[in-house]
Amino acid sequence: MTLPGHPHLARDAQGELRLEGHSLADLARRHGTPLYVYSRAAMLDALAGYQRALEGLPHLICYAMKANSNLAVLQTFARAGCGFDIVSGGELERVLAAGAEPSKIVFSGVGKTAAEMRRALEVGVHCFNVESLGELERLAEVAAAMGRRAPVSLRVNPDVDAGTHPYISTGLKDNKFGIPHDEALAAYRRAAALPSLQVIGIDCHIGSQITQLEPYLDALGRLLDLVEAVEAEGIALAHVDVGGGLGITYTDEAPPAPETLVRALAELMRARGHGHRELIVEPGRSLVGNAGVLLAEVQYLKPGETKNFCIVDAAMNDLVRPAMYEAWMAIEPCRPSAGTAAATWDVVGPVCESGDWLGRDRRLAVAPGDIVAVLSAGAYGMAMAGNYNSRPRAAEIMLDGDAVHVVREREDARALFALERLLD
Ligand SMILES: *Cc1c(COP(=O)(O)O)cnc(C)c1O
């Protein structure tokens, strides 16, 4: 029986949890915990939803690699023809190392340094998604000094409410992102006047874990208003980039399928006479979120007067979403625990912070030594992992049919302080 929202994750007749047919408990035994496990098929299926809906239209799918930037994940998408949305020079080097075509990379982010701009111009990225007038001027200077023209899109803040968590909403007036809608026309005039810039598009990104179509259609409508105003002044815009942000099912959310979203966007473009324009999308979470799980071993059960704690060997440094966004992520035992009664547990890690929790008030039948899986951990999981409490980062596995690839080895504790020096 497959789990809702997780087409490649299933419980077999014995109650064993399997991803692409592989027993997760066995993988944990063989490779240790905490362990990230990804399904390549699940990633490619998610991508195929976008690809199907965009077929026959001028388009570019740019995977927002900050969601999961493991080289094998990037390689999987690059081979499938994907472009990438990057937000730093580090991401640029990483994605080039994974085989990305520079001409399919868009460079987002509010704080691009001159060095990052130079490198991106050198390799020839498709576009800089510029977020402020200051950045526009700096990019023009950097490009001029190199004798280049930098391709630019302006990230416009459409001031729509994506109806999502305040920390992951980015399209409202009081966010740090983008150029305010009513200042965008003037910014386009300025960009068009700078000879070392070539204006090629417009973009927005209104937030993350969005579960409704309306905010997207509102934002696209606002962008198209601007496109018309900009083109009326003789500044041509080849593409419209609507960003990423489509949500996934963590519990009972029912976000539109990628196909539904893209068809609705394309329809609005057509209806308003913009069907010829290239449509760029920048999905992150919706391509990888439900393709991955985080496995942890139960260490101790600590029943208490008001709370019961189930202490596992994965922590906030491995998966920060619950601690940072109060995100709810499903936690499932990987196989039935014989003779164990269910109880209500707060599933917590060993880090010395009360905020170090993975799930609260979860009904689970577990015993020490059992393996549990945190679901929907393929996005913003390992990518946000750190080393707090000198905890080496988890290993990562990519399943591909029968094959099991270790795509990142478990970090060694000595590597954590290898760059540090004792005093003489
Ligand atoms: C994070 C981000 C995305 C992807 O967001 P998801 O919610 O993971 O789809 C796309 N574009 C930009 C500019 C981003 O910052």
Side-chain angles (χ1 to χ4, degrees), residues 50 62-67 85-87 108-109 129 131 155 168 170 177 203-205 207-210 216 241-247 281-288 379-380:
Y50 284 96
C62 292
Y63 166 54
M65 64 176 281
K66 72 177 190 286
D85 171 52
I86 65 168
V87 292
S108 299
N129 287 354
E131 303 223 13
R155 175 167 173 177
I168 51 179
T170 55
F177 299 102
D203 65 284
C204 72
H205 170 69
S208 203
Q209 186 54 20
I210 299 166
Y216 280 106
D241 176 349
V242 295
L246 183 60
V281 291
E282 303 170 353
R285 186 192 314 269
S286 56
L287 291 184
V288 292
Y380 305 106

Side-chain angles (χ1 to χ4, degrees), residues 29 33 295-302 309-314 331-334 337 345 347-348 364-373:
R29 293 284 171 252
T33 47
L295 305 182
E297 187 188 66
V298 177
Q299 300 299 309
Y300 301 102
L301 295 179
K302 195 174 170 186
F309 293 102
C310 168
I311 302 168
V312 301
D313 64 357
I331 300 176
E332 295 273 339
C334 286
S337 194
W345 302 100
V347 180
V348 302
L364 291 168
V366 284
D370 286 357
I371 304 296
V372 295

